[in-house]
Amino acid sequence: MIKLTFFLDSRDSLKQSDEVELELFNSIFDKEFQESYLFVKEEQIVLDAFYLEDSLEPFLKNDEVMRLLKKDGSKALPITLQGKEIISTKKLPSVDDFSEIFDMGISVQYSDDISGTQRLHGEDF
């Protein structure tokens, strides 16, 4: 079983995350991804996301999260735990982090939009 817990400031602050990291974050919460992963890897994914704007209680229950918050304040968020181990602070996990967590390669495809900036087009899981 893969257990990931995300401690986040707010839903609005998530929008300021790196576009690729945010897309991957949203993708792993997709029921179809979780079912496909269970089918292929025979391993269940358990995810929790706690938002400071909703409740302080989950943050207070985790000593390591509270230690980081006391040290860095809300700048430590987002904080990601795999099991009980903190694997990422101040940003969502990267493509490489997610590749390692799920033990599979993740490729991201970009395309240029009309303005010439790059954006996420899709990813292969």
Side-chain angles (χ1 to χ4, degrees), residues 31-75:
K31 186 177 180 174
E32 188 176 320
F33 171 80
Q34 293 177 23
E35 289 172 353
S36 297
Y37 188 83
L38 178 61
F39 179 77
V40 172
K41 294 285 194 171
E42 298 179 349
E43 194 167 16
Q44 182 181 11
I45 299 171
V46 176
L47 304 170
D48 288 307
F50 300 110
Y51 293 90
L52 194 56
E53 69 182 356
D54 292 341
S55 174
L56 187 58
E57 186 177 346
F59 294 77
L60 294 171
K61 289 183 177 181
N62 189 297
D63 292 337
E64 285 300 305
V65 169
M66 285 306 300
R67 182 185 61 76
L68 285 171
L69 289 174
K70 286 178 183 176
K71 179 183 170 204
D72 297 330
S74 63
K75 292 178 185 176

Side-chain angles (χ1 to χ4, degrees), residues 60-121:
L60 294 171
K61 289 183 177 181
N62 189 297
D63 292 337
E64 285 300 305
V65 169
M66 285 306 300
R67 182 185 61 76
L68 285 171
L69 289 174
K70 286 178 183 176
K71 179 183 170 204
D72 297 330
S74 63
K75 292 178 185 176
L77 299 173
I79 299 170
T80 305
L81 278 68
Q82 183 174 355
K84 294 184 179 188
E85 178 186 351
I86 294 175
I87 60 168
S88 178
T89 63
K90 301 180 182 177
K91 64 178 185 64
L92 293 173
S94 67
V95 172
D96 290 340
D97 293 334
F98 280 122
S99 291
E100 187 175 322
I101 291 165
F102 295 114
D103 190 29
M104 65 179 172
I106 298 173
S107 64
V108 180
Q109 299 174 3
Y110 290 90
S111 67
D112 288 331
D113 64 14
I114 295 172
S115 68
T117 59
Q118 292 189 333
R119 62 188 173 114
L120 182 67
H121 180 64

